[in-house]
């Protein structure tokens, strides 16, 4: 059987490490330690699954109806890169993503990471293309 506790715990650690990395970049003005393209996992889809304290609670929460979709959709979640591309695309009508509060929090940090990564890329490119001072 699928080990839900270990998988959920590992996913939580991965998400929290990413959040810590974005905060570290913002607070200390340092480049991010991970590339945005490497963030290729799925967002947490359901708060009830994340709050479950045991495998039994997790399974019971999975069997309950949810606004986040079917059981299989709630297990896989929504792709981080897919959500970022939906948010970054121009739409005539708004696109509603059924995401949990934690997933929204994660996406806010991913957007911040995009902003800071672009700023650091521009700084490094600008420094290479800047005219060199003449030595007298």
């Amino acid at each position: 059987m699928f080990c839900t506790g270990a998988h959920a715990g590992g996913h939580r650690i991965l998400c929290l490490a990413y959040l810590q990395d974005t905060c570290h970049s913002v607070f200390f003005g340092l480049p991010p330690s991970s590339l945005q393209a490497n963030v290729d996992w799925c967002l947490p889809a359901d708060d009830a699954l994340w709050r479950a304290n045991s495998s039994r609670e997790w399974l019971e929460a999975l069997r309950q109806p949810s606004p986040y979709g079917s059981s299989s959709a709630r297990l896989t979640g929504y792709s981080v890169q897919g959500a970022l591309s939906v948010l970054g695309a121009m739409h005539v009508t708004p696109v509603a993503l059924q995401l949990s509060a934690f997933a929204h929090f994660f996406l806010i940090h991913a957007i911040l990471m995009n902003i800071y990564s672009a700023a650091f890329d521009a700084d490094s490119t600008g420094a290479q293309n800047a005219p060199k001072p003449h030595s007298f």
Side-chain angles (χ1 to χ4, degrees), residues 118-135:
F120 280 107
D121 289 345
D123 285 347
S124 65
T125 305
Q128 292 172 356
N129 295 334
K132 306 279 188 257
H134 295 285
S135 58

Side-chain angles (χ1 to χ4, degrees), residues 3-66:
C3 183
T4 59
H7 179 73
H11 195 187
R12 290 178 189 181
I13 290 170
L14 185 64
C15 287
L16 291 173
Y18 180 79
L19 294 175
Q20 190 275 334
D21 187 43
T22 59
C23 289
H24 190 259
S25 294
V26 172
F27 297 154
F28 299 108
L30 298 172
S33 62
S34 62
L35 298 174
Q36 188 68 26
N38 292 340
V39 182
D40 194 22
W41 60 81
C42 291
L43 295 165
D46 198 334
D47 291 333
L49 297 176
W50 282 74
R51 285 191 303 262
N53 292 322
S54 68
S55 295
R56 177 166 287 174
E57 286 181 22
W58 184 87
L59 187 57
E60 288 173 8
L62 184 63
R63 290 180 177 161
Q64 298 297 319
S66 172

Side-chain angles (χ1 to χ4, degrees), residues 73-95:
R74 291 165 58 204
L75 281 174
T76 58
Y78 200 89
S79 162
V80 172
Q81 297 300 329
L84 288 173
S85 66
V86 166
L87 292 174
M90 298 292 286
H91 298 282
V92 176
T93 58
V95 176

